[in-house]
Amino acid sequence: MAEELKVVDNASRESTNLSPVNKIEIYSFFDPFNKDCFKLSAIISKLRIEYNQYIRIRHILNPSLKVLTKCQAQSTSDFDNIALAYKAAELQGRLRAERFIHLMQNEIIPKKDIITEEMICNCIKNAGLDYDVFKEDLQKNKLTESLKIDLHIAREMEIEQAPSLVFFSEDVHEEGLKVEGLYPYHIYTYIINELMGCPIEKELPPNLETYIQSKQLVTMEELLTIYEWPEKLLVKELKKLALQQKVEKLNYPDGEFWQSKMPKK
């Protein structure tokens, strides 16, 4: 376990008022084009389901030169630069911004599609964001300043790769723990339990239909992570939903996906 963790100075955290209930603060640094970051999103979803009352997660697009260069190379203007689009989406709420980036990854990773302004427009609207406000926010200089703040946080935490998760307890005198790369789910739950230092009651996931409807597009691997069912049982349940015209199976070069045919609630 010691080889998988690195200590991070607590001074690198942003000042924030935590709630009276003990919370683990998690900084998640991601690269929107990285497959491991895409896979980690399933683990983060499961952590949110089981430990929602104990954790607070902040997603930060890793503002390294390598990642920002990829974002620039994939764009023809500010309107289809995914780094700037994510920062503009954040101005309407971090959870909605996370939803936006998840929808974008659904487009660019399994399908290997090129980012377009139309794709961003669709993902913005499907994430519940106001597109007109988003376009106005894209023109603001403070987006670049916001990226600089993220870069400062990443440097302070010595982030060298994505994905990386940095865990902090509520005790501001305690150092953080950094996990670089992708690891099995139990590694992350072990850290949360250790930092909490008391018994934790986990929540159960929603039913399969509800989960797929909320995510719209999911991988088989993600569903196996969330539900921990035998694969045969999961396939059986998915086929039931397919027969009910609630989901459909999609095959992409990177694997098997299931898409909801129900509108997002």
Side-chain angles (χ1 to χ4, degrees), residues 105-142:
Q105 287 178 307
N106 282 344
E107 297 293 328
I108 62 181
I109 292 182
K111 303 176 186 178
K112 302 188 184 300
D113 283 351
I114 299 297
I115 296 174
T116 64
E117 187 176 339
E118 181 183 6
M119 180 192 296
I120 286 181
C121 174
N122 290 336
C123 290
I124 283 292
K125 291 177 179 177
N126 289 334
L129 295 159
D130 186 309
Y131 185 62
D132 291 332
V133 172
F134 168 78
K135 286 195 296 182
E136 290 178 11
D137 288 338
L138 268 177
Q139 306 304 308
K140 295 179 179 177
N141 293 329
K142 62 182 177 182

Side-chain angles (χ1 to χ4, degrees), residues 62 142 178:
N62 186 21
K142 62 182 177 182
K178 179 171 61 179

Side-chain angles (χ1 to χ4, degrees), residues 59-110:
H59 283 275
I60 298 178
L61 189 147
N62 186 21
S64 68
L65 179 61
K66 179 181 177 182
V67 173
L68 293 181
T69 299
K70 283 192 288 184
C71 293
Q72 184 64 40
Q74 281 276 342
S75 68
T76 57
S77 69
D78 288 348
F79 283 100
D80 56 13
N81 183 310
I82 195 170
L84 293 175
Y86 180 66
K87 298 309 295 183
E90 273 192 328
L91 295 177
Q92 295 188 52
R94 287 179 178 170
L95 287 179
R96 287 181 178 178
E98 288 176 32
R99 174 68 186 153
F100 161 70
I101 205 70
H102 178 76
L103 291 170
M104 287 295 297
Q105 287 178 307
N106 282 344
E107 297 293 328
I108 62 181
I109 292 182

Side-chain angles (χ1 to χ4, degrees), residues 213-248:
Q213 184 178 13
S214 70
K215 303 287 280 190
Q216 290 295 298
L217 184 72
V218 295
T219 65
M220 190 68 179
E221 184 178 3
E222 177 177 349
L223 294 177
L224 288 169
T225 298
I226 297 294
Y227 292 95
E228 298 181 0
W229 294 346
E231 188 167 353
K232 286 185 178 180
L233 174 60
L234 180 56
V235 170
K236 181 180 178 182
E237 294 302 314
L238 286 167
K239 286 181 177 178
K240 286 182 184 178
L241 293 177
L243 286 172
Q244 296 168 18
Q245 296 294 304
K246 293 180 176 179
V247 302
E248 62 179 331

Side-chain angles (χ1 to χ4, degrees), residues 3 31 42 46 101 156 199 224 230 244 263:
E3 295 178 355
D31 173 349
K46 188 173 178 66
I101 205 70
E156 286 291 311
L224 288 169
Q244 296 168 18

